[in-house]
């Protein structure tokens, strides 16, 4: 079988997800146990991220057997708020740090036998946003539930781009960015009709505040040449101060890397 969590892809499942008394086991198992497979026999292999995400849990100091523990592990949270857990990793071979953002397929560590383990393997879990463990087998070579689809890279900043940015930056997901019509018309005349203009709160847009915080500039909540130039510098495009098509395309590509 193939999987998205083992570098060599070819995989053997040595134990499935099961409840106590289920599938012939008298105890609960909240994930699946996997090894690599070279076509003839099971092998140890490098472990990679199933889906892009952020490292929200990590252990690296377990050197061997430890009753009841995951040993060395990496816990990722993804854009759909689900989690994936990679456990029993080799001591000295965890390749990521807490808080790090990883891409799909990025190496996390090497499978081994640390923690409560009786032979080298990967213990892999999928957890809902509330932390409930679900059967991960259907997702071994498939997207997690509710994963976002890539944005169209077309240079148009509409509701889809706004909602994706709002989700990423943790602001209200309504697809609307409040701006002064006069100001925005000066910056990008072609996009004026895209927006439903409403009264601007004094603090400006929460999304723009979050983006400005990320850019490490004055967080006034207003989109203007200074903010756009800082965004262009971050995205490594020509700093024109106008929200041109090339800048939006770069931003769309950057957002797609975060799903």
């Amino acid at each position: 079988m193939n999987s998205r969590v083992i570098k060599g892809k070819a995989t053997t499942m040595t134990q499935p997800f099961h409840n106590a008394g289920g599938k012939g086991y008298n105890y609960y198992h909240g994930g699946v146990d996997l090894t690599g497979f070279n076509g003839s026999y099971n092998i140890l292999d490098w472990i990679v991220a199933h889906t892009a995400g952020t490292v929200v849990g990590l252990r690296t100091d377990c050197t061997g057997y430890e009753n009841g523990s995951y040993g060395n592990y990496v816990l990722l949270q993804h854009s759909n708020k689900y989690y994936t857990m990679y456990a029993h990793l080799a001591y000295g071979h965890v390749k990521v740090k807490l808080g790090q953002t990883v891409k799909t397929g990025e190496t996390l560590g090497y499978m081994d036998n640390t923690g409560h383990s009786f032979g080298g393997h990967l213990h892999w879990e999928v957890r809902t946003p509330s932390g409930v463990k679900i059967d991960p087998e259907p997702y071994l070579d498939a997207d997690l539930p509710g994963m976002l689809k890539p944005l169209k890279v077309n240079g148009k900043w509409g509701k889809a781009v706004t909602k994706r940015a709002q989700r990423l930056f943790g602001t209200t997901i309504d697809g609307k960015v409040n701006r002064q019509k006069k100001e925005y018309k000066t910056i990008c005349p072609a996009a004026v009709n895209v927006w439903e203009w409403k009264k601007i709160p004094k603090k400006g847009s929460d999304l723009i505040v979050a983006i400005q915080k990320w850019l490490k500039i004055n967080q006034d909540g207003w989109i203007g040449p200074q903010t756009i130039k800082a965004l262009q510098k971050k995205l490594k495009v020509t700093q024109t101060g106008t929200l041109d098509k090339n800048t939006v395309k770069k931003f769309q590509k950057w957002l797609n890397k975060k799903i």
Side-chain angles (χ1 to χ4, degrees), residues 3 7-8 20 26 30 32 62 69 102 105 156 178 180 204 217 232:
S3 78
K7 191 170 185 179
N26 62 2
V32 292
C62 186
S69 86
V102 299
K156 297 179 182 179
N178 293 322
Q180 288 179 313
I217 61 173
Q232 289 169 330

Side-chain angles (χ1 to χ4, degrees), residues 65-128:
Y65 180 81
E66 188 177 81
N67 189 37
S69 86
Y70 283 113
N72 299 314
Y73 69 85
V74 175
L75 179 66
L76 300 181
Q77 186 174 37
H78 308 284
S79 63
N80 61 349
K81 305 304 181 185
Y82 275 64
Y83 301 85
T84 52
M85 163 68 86
Y86 310 75
H88 307 315
L89 303 181
Y91 177 73
H93 287 75
V94 177
K95 301 296 184 181
V96 294
K97 297 180 180 179
L98 195 64
Q100 181 178 334
T101 300
V102 299
K103 300 176 182 178
T104 301
E106 186 168 339
T107 300
L108 303 177
Y110 196 77
M111 69 170 63
D112 200 16
N113 196 28
T114 58
H116 194 136
S117 175
F118 301 95
H121 69 284
L122 169 70
H123 174 85
W124 187 62
E125 296 178 357
V126 173
R127 303 178 184 177
T128 68

Side-chain angles (χ1 to χ4, degrees), residues 234-250:
K234 189 79 170 181
L235 298 173
K236 298 180 180 180
V237 296
T238 303
Q239 296 170 44
T240 62
T242 60
L243 200 61
D244 54 48
K245 195 171 185 178
N246 187 45
T247 301
V248 178
K249 280 185 176 181
K250 283 281 189 176

